[in-house]
Structures are given as C-alpha cells and as structure tokens.
Amino acid sequence: MVSPIVHPQEPQGNRLRETLCRLEPKTQRTYTPSLALLARSSGVFHWTPDGRKLYDLTSGVLVANLGHNPVTWRERFLHYLGWSGSSVQDRHGFFEAVPLTSYNAATPVEVEASRRLIACLRECAGSQRLEKVLWAASGSEAVQKALWAALARDRSRDIILATRYGFHGKKGLAGATTGCETDPERDPRVRFISFPREECCDVSRRREPFDPLPYRRELEALREQFGRRLNVLITEPYLGGGGSYHPHPAYLRVVQDFCRENDIILVLDEVQSNFGRTGRMFAFETYGIEPDVVLLGKGLANGVPGAAAVGPAWLFDCLDYGEGSDTYSGNPLVCAAVLATLDCFSDGAVLENCRRVSPLIEAGLLGLKQFPFVRYVRGEDGGMVWGVEFGDFGSRSASQWANEFVLASYRGNAREGVHLLGPLAKKVVRIAPPLVITSEQANEALRIMSEAAQSLLES
Ligand SMILES: Cc1ncc(COP(=O)(O)O)c(C=O)c1O
C-alpha cells in the first residue's frame, strides 16, 4: 500500500486519506502532493473535514467555471430535472420527474439541451456550420466519437494529425492523439505536428511578432507524404495538460487554412477551454477560427460529468445506429446541467467578471517571478487560465520546487490555504480559478501563494 499523505493540521482528513489508500488504488488519481480531502464547497472555497478553508484555484479541474454549488444554477438544474419540491408523489414512494436514462429513448430535456447548445455555438461563431450534437460521457469519449466519424467518412483516408504534446484524454483514440510520437504503443495512423511552445513560453513574449511559415511548411510536407490519406486534424486551442502554452492566433489560422484547402476535418478540442476559460464563451472566438467540429466537456455542465462533440450533420451521419451510442451519453442529468449552465452564462456577467479580474491575477502571478525558482508565467490574456513554470534552482529540481509549492500553498496557515493541482508536465503549476472569483478573493489567494513561495526559500 502507498503510504498516505499526512497534513499536520488535519486529523480527520488524515484518517480519511488513510482509509482511502486502503480502499482505492493509487491509479484512481493523478499524483498530487496535497491529496485534498474536500468536505464542502461554495463559490471559490472548499472546506476540509477539519474546517480548513481552501481557495480553489483549480475549479475542480477547470470544471466549476461558475464556482461550486451556485444557487441559481441549482434552481435551474432542479427545474429542468423536475426535481423541485413540488413534484407529484405517489403512495408507493416515487415522484414524477425526468427519467435518468437516454438509452434507446430520449427526453425533452435532451432535445432542449441540444437545441440550446447549438444555438449558443452558432451565435458565438456567427455561422451555421455546427449542426448536430453527439453527446458523450467524458471528454475522451467526445474525442473518440469525433475521430470515429471522421474515419468513417472515407476508410481510405486513415491519417489523423494531432498537435504534439497535446492532451485529449487517456482512452482509445484520445490517448493515441495525446503526447508525442516517442510514447510507447503509438497508433500508426496518428502523425504529430508542431505546436508553438518556445514562442509563447512566457507572457512577456505575447506581443512579439510570430512567424507561422515553418508550421505551414511542416503541414505541406505531410501533404506531400500522405496526400488524400490525411483525413482529420485535432488540436486544442492552447496546450492545456501539456503545460499551458497559449499560441499566437496566426498559428491556429494556418492550421485552419491548411485543413480547408485540403478537405481535412478540423477538430478543436475545447473540452478544457469551453464555457469561458479564455474570456469568451468559446476559445474559437478568442482565436478567430471556425472549426468543423468543436469538442465540449468540463465546464459544459459545471461539474456534472458530461461532454459532447458538435459538428456538421453530414459528418456525424457517417456513423450508423449505435456506433456512437453508450449507456450514459445524453443522460438527462447532464442535459439539465448543461441547460442550467447555459442559463447562468446568458447575461454575460460571468464572462465580464472573468475579463475584469484576469489582469489582477496575472500581475500577481508575474510577481511570483521574484522567486528564483519561478521561471515563466503564461496564460490567456483576459482569461482565467495560467501555467506557472518552475525551474531548477540550488539543489532542487524544477519538479521538486513545483511540488513543494503546491504543498506549501495547500498547507498555508492553520486556518486557510490554496488548493492547486499536481504540476502539469512535472513542473508547471496550473492556476484556473472559477470565473466568478472576486478581486478581493484573488488578492487573498495570491498572498497565500506568495507566502508559501517565501517559506520555501527560507526552508
Ligand atoms: C483538452 C482536453 N481534452 C480532453 C480531455 C479528456 O477529458 P476527460 O478527462 O473528461 O476524458 C481533457 C482532460 O483534461 C482535456 O483537457
């Protein structure tokens, strides 16, 4: 058994962590030095079973964009499900509401969620390209279904292009398009293309001129090699799990132009960026592109597990009955949550807050560069997602500093701390608070992190 993580101020949390280690394998979670035990949450806060307050700078994992447990969201969610207190009850102990099934059947709430989602995407895109919703139960499954549809359109066109060091999930074709060509057990159909990293390694380089030509040439070389076999290209708008690299928009436009010229389906994986992360509803607006297929997840249902691929009818109709179906996709629980989430975004206040507080957080994160182990800060201009990259310093490696920073921030002081995820790409700490965070809350969280960094320097 792996020895459980122990925190000095958390006797109850420690007991639960110890039990957890006995009952669940370590692979259930990605490594984090803190392994937070979260008893309750509200807005940007979590509380541990011992009553410690944590500022959540992760939004779960970029899921709770509206914050945890928003009252209006709950009201709307219960309304769409028919779970409000006034539901009709019978004498056998049941109440009338939407059934929790979507298999070989559909519910009005699913139809409404598809309609509203498409309407929202079309309005944001300013075009009618996106026509059908293919629901999925997780982000990886949305990736898988979109790529299956692309491959089904012409079986002789077998090559999938994916941006190197991207993250699309772990299962099936999502796993095959994640990472790079040196990973073991590669799928020979997947070819990786470069994604700018050096040019956008720090926010200080954001306004520098960007030369897209080398990227264009690389794509052309692949066309020379594979010709019509090139079928589909999948990319994230910014590399999320790969270390938070936010490219110059010209990069994504080159990719889009190449796809259009060569009848290649452009799949934009917005599982992480959708619902406001970049300061707009969708990252395709921020980056000025119009993908053929958009993949949605995480913030889509503000924490209820659901995802979707949205794309042209002719493409998704290449898959026959059942080829894209499973037990949970399109479940009314998710569809009600999607509708509630759309309602909460509809007046624009959440996005406005995101854009307003974003510069304050960015300035605070740049302040962390005063510490010799903080190397780069990068993120979305006006959005709510950054990566703080640590470097080797003294006798400790970048990865050690990053992990120690996560731990010290979590431990904070006896009463409060900051909840962060285990580092991305071993040395990049992700900062992604709920979009509803206030300036005051952001300042407090930044102060705790700065004190944590100072304590590391002194240790
Ligand atoms: C861009 C992107 N695509 C796909 C996924 C996979 O989503 P899921 O974990 O729901 O399968 C993730 C998860 O982090 C992601 O960030």
Side-chain angles (χ1 to χ4, degrees):
M1 189 179 86
V2 203
S3 56
I5 289 168
V6 172
H7 297 301
Q9 306 119 335
E10 299 192 354
Q12 286 191 58
N14 291 339
R15 274 197 296 280
L16 286 166
R17 269 183 285 272
E18 198 262 332
T19 311
L20 185 77
C21 278
R22 275 190 283 114
L23 300 180
E24 294 182 14
K26 64 181 180 209
T27 190
Q28 183 74 54
R29 281 171 185 79
T30 305
Y31 176 74
T32 157
S34 50
L35 187 50
L37 243 299
L38 309 172
R40 288 172 299 117
S41 305
S42 167
V44 301
F45 299 114
H46 292 307
W47 283 270
T48 70
D50 295 279
R52 292 190 63 236
K53 181 164 101 175
L54 301 170
Y55 287 82
D56 177 20
L57 293 205
T58 77
S59 308
V61 51
L62 299 101
V63 169
N65 293 5
L66 297 171
H68 299 281
N69 301 321
V71 172
T72 311
W73 183 89
R74 179 182 60 180
E75 278 165 10
R76 303 306 297 154
F77 178 57
L78 295 179
H79 160 78
Y80 287 116
L81 278 176
W83 280 7
S84 50
S86 57
S87 313
V88 178
Q89 295 179 28
D90 70 15
R91 59 194 174 85
H92 303 292
F94 298 93
F95 66 98
E96 281 182 26
V98 178
L100 293 184
T101 182
S102 53
Y103 194 77
N104 269 13
T107 51
V109 72
E110 179 181 338
V111 178
E112 182 61 0
S114 295
R115 188 189 70 75
R116 289 267 309 277
L117 197 53
I118 289 171
C120 174
L121 281 155
R122 286 178 164 187
E123 191 185 329
C124 293
S127 86
Q128 307 292 305
R129 292 173 81 85
L130 300 168
E131 293 171 318
K132 284 198 171 180
V133 181
L134 182 52
W135 293 100
S138 69
S140 337
E141 290 174 35
V143 173
Q144 174 97 332
K145 289 182 183 184
L147 296 177
W148 276 342
L151 293 172
R153 74 166 167 148
D154 182 346
R155 296 280 173 202
S156 69
R157 300 183 67 182
D158 59 338
I159 303 288
I160 300 168
L161 300 179
T163 38
R164 196 172 292 119
Y165 308 123
F167 185 83
H168 301 289
K170 295 176 189 155
K171 290 151 243 156
L173 283 173
T177 49
T178 283
C180 65
E181 44 277 83
T182 57
D183 295 344
E185 296 175 40
R186 291 306 338 166
D187 185 320
R189 292 172 297 179
V190 179
R191 300 285 152 155
F192 290 94
I193 59 168
S194 302
F195 191 100
R197 294 199 304 163
E198 187 54 36
E199 303 94 315
C200 51
C201 65
D202 188 74
V203 293
S204 61
R205 303 196 61 180
R206 202 182 259 155
R207 312 264 175 255
E208 281 181 13
F210 170 77
D211 179 11
L213 211 60
Y215 297 97
R216 172 85 208 185
R217 290 213 184 96
E218 190 179 329
L219 289 165
E220 276 163 8
L222 283 161
R223 184 182 48 206
E224 288 302 304
Q225 188 181 355
F226 294 109
R228 285 276 298 165
R229 282 178 66 195
L230 298 182
N231 182 334
V232 53
L233 187 154
I234 181 165
T235 183
E236 294 161 88
Y238 61 83
L239 295 189
S244 209
Y245 289 92
H246 306 257
H248 193 285
Y251 169 74
L252 289 170
R253 287 192 207 123
V254 158
V255 167
Q256 172 170 280
D257 290 348
F258 177 78
C259 289
R260 291 267 197 285
E261 288 158 24
N262 295 285
D263 182 34
I264 293 165
I265 309 274
L266 174 59
V267 178
L268 190 67
D269 181 349
E270 290 224 31
V271 166
Q272 172 170 138
S273 59
N274 64 184
F275 282 64
R277 265 304 141 191
T278 65
R280 310 282 291 268
M281 195 65 182
F282 301 101
F284 63 71
E285 299 171 82
T286 304
Y287 284 91
I289 57 168
E290 227 189 292
D292 299 302
V293 178
V294 182
L295 305 180
L296 310 172
K298 294 189 188 280
L300 167 70
N302 209 54
V304 176
V310 187
W314 70 263
L315 178 67
F316 289 163
D317 289 340
C318 295
L319 290 174
D320 204 351
Y321 274 115
E323 288 177 334
S325 80
D326 45 60
T327 304
Y328 290 125
S329 295
N331 190 285
L333 196 70
V334 173
C335 294
V338 170
L339 287 166
T341 308
L342 284 166
D343 287 349
C344 290
F345 271 95
S346 62
D347 68 1
V350 172
L351 294 177
E352 206 178 291
N353 185 73
C354 166
R355 293 192 288 263
R356 186 172 57 242
V357 183
S358 172
L360 184 154
I361 299 182
E362 187 161 295
L365 296 176
L366 287 168
L368 292 176
K369 279 189 174 182
Q370 67 176 292
F371 298 102
F373 42 76
V374 173
R375 202 157 167 224
Y376 298 123
V377 174
R378 39 184 183 263
E380 280 296 324
D381 199 2
M384 209 41 87
V385 54
W386 295 269
V388 177
E389 183 174 324
F390 286 69
D392 299 340
F393 174 68
S395 57
R396 280 177 259 184
S397 68
S399 165
Q400 281 169 318
W401 284 114
N403 277 291
E404 286 178 22
F405 176 75
V406 170
L407 187 58
S409 299
Y410 176 82
R411 290 188 174 169
N413 55 51
R415 283 168 299 104
E416 54 189 25
V418 169
H419 175 55
L420 298 166
L421 304 174
L424 308 168
K426 294 200 168 72
K427 58 182 181 181
V428 181
V429 174
R430 154 76 76 235
I431 307 291
L435 311 183
V436 293
I437 192 168
T438 65
S439 304
E440 204 182 16
Q441 292 164 342
N443 277 328
E444 273 305 293
L446 287 160
R447 183 185 56 76
I448 294 170
M449 287 195 294
S450 184
E451 285 172 7
Q454 185 64 39
S455 73
L456 293 186
L457 207 55
E458 290 161 5
S459 66

